[in-house]
Amino acid sequence: MSYADINDIQTTGASQKTARQDKLDYAGISASHTMAKTDSGRMEKYKTKISRVGKKYEIDPALIAAIMSRETRAGNVLNNGWGDNGNAWGLMQVDVNPNGGGHTARGEWDSEEHLCQATEILVYFIGRITKKFPDWSKEMKLKGAIAAYNTGDGRVHSEDVDVHTTGDDYSNDVVARAQWYKKNFRFEYLYKHSPVCPFSPNTGQRHAKSSLIHSTGPIQEDKMSYPNIMDVPTNGASAVTAAQDQQGYSKVTASKAMARTDSDRMEKYRSKIKRVGHSYGIDPALIAGIISRESRAGNQLENGWGDNRKAWGLMQVDVTKGGGGHPRIGEWDSEEHLRQATGILVGFIGVITNKFPNWSRNDQLKGGIAAYNQGDGNVRDGYGVDHFTTGGDYSNDVVARAQYYKESCGY
């Protein structure tokens, strides 16, 4: 990834409203720096965790620290890990309100697992803002994503990114705090700015972590801008994949035949699939296409497990520490599981959009699907999106199956 250097971002710092939290009689950058310094003693105990998470997601640890400072004063304003009247969880305040972000809280409030979840949300928004405002500078895109972490990308409309944020200053205050931590705090800057994905998917692991909205609720379809799945070109299944069903043919015909074979089993999940698709702005047919490819609508699972007990559920979320490293959320056929997996998919679409802004929207979508299988580190310019995927056809096969579910089954 290649995010803007936090020190290169222009900022006006904290508003008077935010500065009054500490009864300061001044605002601006000086106020932000003062509040960051006030939190620095508490922040010290989290420095190693922050550094590790920064490395995993290639996000400046100073930025993670700054969000912790802004959101919870490094935990000082929390009540048993809760903030915002019980609606948000942990040091970085992940919204668990069903009418808000609707996240399932991961880990203890001060755990590395929690920091990973929240940082995934931030990374997702960097992708969303990059896609929404491709002509913005890298510095403005990062500020826009920070603002979206607070209020959602649907409320970031112009270069006045903080107009709808809490205190009308969220990104400016966070950036100023981050600049203070960058200068005064010795984080371990262990990562390199290279196109590798969290949890090293370029070494073959599947489903690196990703997530969605922080505070404004699930994304609705009218807020998303993914291509119509029926318009996405596809070659369908390879001969290797088609051989699963002992077919004497491959390509789109084989993909649709396999999708049709799974259609009766898929029917029992239709309502869950459609609810999750609506929540995340993803075509339900695409979710069904992944369920068909990954687990044959559950038919290949043993007590919910697949891939030699390395992956869980209908959409096969990788739970191995050396792979995706995800927690097992929900029952294998539950809506909660589908939400987790769809969050991973949506996150990868955002990452691929950010990584390849000049690709067509169809290719960005296919790249996100391929990354769901093999990580964005294995989606490379100059190669076909499926060059490194299982069977050499993952996104093409999934798209063809999704087209069958859309056209023939009404998803």
Side-chain angles (χ1 to χ4, degrees):
M1 306 299 292
S2 180
Y3 304 128
D5 187 325
I6 202 71
N7 283 329
D8 292 339
I9 300 177
Q10 293 184 349
T11 176
T12 55
S15 66
Q16 290 183 343
K17 182 177 180 180
T18 298
R20 282 198 294 269
Q21 293 177 4
D22 283 21
K23 299 181 180 178
L24 301 177
D25 59 2
Y26 53 92
I29 295 172
S30 296
S32 296
H33 287 183
T34 296
M35 290 184 284
K37 183 178 181 180
T38 297
D39 299 334
S40 61
R42 291 184 294 272
M43 197 71 69
E44 185 71 30
K45 70 181 77 170
Y46 307 118
K47 186 164 66 173
T48 299
K49 294 178 184 178
I50 293 169
S51 295
R52 283 198 296 261
V53 173
K55 176 188 175 184
K56 288 177 181 177
Y57 295 93
E58 298 189 349
I59 285 289
D60 195 321
L63 177 53
I64 297 172
I67 292 174
M68 290 167 56
S69 175
R70 168 68 186 231
E71 289 283 351
T72 67
R73 308 308 300 272
N76 197 49
V77 301
L78 299 180
N79 182 10
N80 294 321
W82 294 100
D84 192 21
N85 298 313
N87 290 317
W89 175 251
L91 288 166
M92 292 177 74
Q93 290 290 272
V94 170
D95 191 341
V96 300
N97 185 341
N99 296 318
H103 295 286
T104 300
R106 296 188 202 163
E108 298 299 319
W109 65 272
D110 57 352
S111 67
E112 188 169 332
E113 188 177 4
H114 160 72
L115 297 182
C116 281
Q117 180 184 22
T119 304
E120 291 164 11
I121 295 168
L122 175 62
V123 169
Y124 165 77
F125 275 123
I126 295 171
R128 284 292 299 151
I129 293 298
T130 296
K131 186 172 184 178
K132 187 174 181 180
F133 301 109
D135 296 330
W136 281 11
S137 68
K138 287 199 300 185
E139 290 74 23
M140 280 306 304
K141 288 172 183 174
L142 184 57
K143 281 185 78 173
I146 296 167
Y149 182 88
N150 173 251
T151 195
D153 66 288
R155 292 171 67 81
V156 179
H157 297 298
S158 69
E159 293 194 19
D160 187 8
V161 294
D162 279 332
V163 68
H164 295 296
T165 64
T166 305
D168 299 325
D169 69 343
Y170 189 89
S171 74
N172 280 283
D173 181 33
V174 165
V175 166
R177 296 190 199 211
Q179 289 172 347
W180 189 89
Y181 286 117
K182 182 92 168 183
K183 180 179 180 181
N184 296 285
F185 232 56
R186 284 186 169 270
F187 288 108
E188 298 174 41
Y189 286 86
L190 302 175
Y191 60 90
K192 297 178 181 179
H193 289 294
S194 58
V196 296
C197 175
F199 303 98
S200 301
N202 54 321
T203 59
Q205 288 88 351
R206 300 162 62 245
H207 308 347
K209 292 187 176 182
S210 186
S211 192
L212 269 177
I213 284 185
H214 175 60
S215 61
T216 59
I219 299 176
Q220 303 301 316
E221 292 181 20
D222 61 354
K223 293 181 183 177
M224 304 302 289
S225 182
Y226 300 129
N228 185 330
I229 199 68
M230 300 304 296
D231 295 335
V232 179
T234 176
N235 297 322
S238 67
V240 172
T241 300
Q244 293 176 6
D245 284 18
Q246 298 180 332
Q247 296 182 22
Y249 48 88
S250 59
K251 300 189 177 178
V252 173
T253 301
S255 295
K256 291 187 175 181
M258 290 184 284
R260 183 169 58 249
T261 298
D262 300 333
S263 61
D264 287 344
R265 290 186 295 269
M266 195 74 68
E267 190 63 29
K268 70 181 75 171
Y269 310 120
R270 176 188 288 268
S271 59
K272 295 177 184 177
I273 290 169
K274 294 190 80 169
R275 282 195 298 269
V276 172
H278 179 72
S279 292
Y280 288 99
I282 281 289
D283 196 320
L286 177 52
I287 298 173
I290 291 175
I291 292 172
S292 175
R293 167 69 186 231
E294 289 284 351
S295 69
R296 303 308 299 269
N299 196 49
Q300 291 183 340
L301 303 181
E302 183 177 351
N303 296 321
W305 292 100
D307 194 17
N308 297 313
R309 296 185 68 85
K310 295 177 182 177
W312 174 252
L314 288 168
M315 295 177 72
Q316 289 290 272
V317 170
D318 191 338
V319 299
T320 60
K321 290 184 179 180
H326 297 285
R328 193 183 77 180
I329 296 179
E331 296 299 319
W332 65 272
D333 58 352
S334 67
E335 187 169 331
E336 191 175 12
H337 160 72
L338 297 182
R339 286 183 178 276
Q340 179 190 22
T342 304
I344 294 168
L345 172 64
V346 169
F348 271 125
I349 296 170
V351 169
I352 293 299
T353 299
N354 187 35
K355 186 176 178 180
F356 302 111
N358 295 324
W359 280 14
S360 70
R361 293 172 63 243
N362 287 337
D363 284 343
Q364 288 169 347
L365 179 61
K366 289 179 73 174
I369 296 167
Y372 182 86
N373 173 251
Q374 283 294 335
D376 68 283
N378 279 320
V379 180
R380 306 177 191 177
D381 211 1
Y383 293 83
V385 293
D386 281 328
H387 185 82
F388 297 101
T389 64
T390 305
D393 68 345
Y394 189 90
S395 75
N396 279 283
D397 181 31
V398 165
V399 167
R401 297 190 197 212
Q403 289 174 348
Y404 171 84
Y405 288 117
K406 181 86 168 181
E407 186 175 40
S408 301
C409 301
Y411 281 88

